[in-house]
Amino acid sequence: MAFHPSTEPAVFHASLRDQFEVFLDEHRSVLHDSLNGLTEEQAGRSLVASKTTLLGLVKHATFVEKVWFDEAITCRSRAEIGIPGSPDESFDLHDGDTIASVQHAYQQACAASRRATESLTLDDLLRGNRRGPLPLRWVYLHMLRELAQHCGHADILREQVLDDRTRRG
């Protein structure tokens, strides 16, 4: 049974900021761990018409972290940050992409996101997004929505990969 820090009684009465961070980290962990125990082939297997694969989802999540917690905060361009120009490109898998390398890059991006926001308040405006200035509160909510959606995708893809493995075995 999965451990859900967000259901701990201390979180019920924590500050809104702390609650956001617990929920974000819980979703980050679920997405990261969706690759655990899979082979490289399974993680990169294409099961839907889009570019979405389990490995690609975690790569995309790394991109999203950098868009919202680097580009939006520092106002640096995506080229300066070293990320793709579009979300669609962030799903692309390259020869050097492995479960270990993608998980490591994701952990590094999440840690950088935490550092980038540690001195900000929920009402601080992030000025580096194309939508214009946005409060950190909105960015946290957007990230929760994005990560929840991708955790659902990962859950379904992982189920398909594991079900396929049992049918073959």
Side-chain angles (χ1 to χ4, degrees):
M1 187 162 179
F3 173 65
H4 299 285
S6 60
T7 62
E8 290 296 309
V11 176
F12 301 160
H13 305 288
S15 71
L16 182 59
R17 170 70 178 263
D18 289 342
Q19 288 176 341
F20 276 144
E21 291 178 1
V22 167
F23 274 79
L24 277 170
D25 282 341
E26 190 172 283
H27 284 75
R28 288 167 171 153
S29 179
V30 167
L31 196 54
H32 172 277
D33 293 349
S34 70
L35 297 172
N36 289 349
L38 299 179
T39 66
E40 297 296 337
E41 184 276 328
Q42 289 170 322
R45 189 178 298 164
S46 179
L47 298 167
V48 294
S50 70
K51 292 182 182 182
T52 307
T53 63
L54 280 165
L55 199 61
L57 272 174
V58 179
K59 267 191 86 168
H60 172 71
T62 301
F63 166 83
V64 169
E65 291 282 339
K66 291 179 179 189
V67 165
W68 288 107
F69 298 115
D70 190 337
E71 180 182 30
I73 292 172
T74 67
C75 301
R76 295 187 312 153
S77 71
R78 291 178 185 187
E80 289 175 285
I81 297 167
I83 58 175
S86 73
D88 189 53
E89 293 171 271
S90 70
F91 285 91
D92 291 346
L93 298 178
H94 303 290
D95 289 341
D97 291 333
T98 65
I99 292 169
S101 71
V102 169
Q103 283 182 318
H104 179 73
Y106 186 50
Q107 288 174 322
Q108 295 296 106
C110 292
S113 295
R114 286 185 210 96
R115 286 190 305 275
T117 59
E118 67 190 359
S119 66
L120 300 176
T121 70
L122 292 177
D123 294 323
D124 282 340
L125 294 180
L126 309 185
R127 300 187 183 282
N129 187 268
R130 60 183 164 76
R131 292 172 180 87
L134 295 166
L136 180 61
R137 167 189 331 273
W138 186 93
V139 170
Y140 275 1
L141 287 167
H142 175 76
M143 282 296 296
L144 282 170
R145 175 179 59 199
E146 178 112 6
L147 290 174
Q149 179 182 22
H150 293 321
C151 284
H153 294 148
D155 188 46
I156 291 168
L157 290 173
R158 185 175 170 89
E159 184 178 320
Q160 287 179 313
V161 164
L162 294 176
D163 184 52
D164 189 45
R165 183 172 63 184
T166 56
R167 280 186 284 171
R168 288 182 188 179

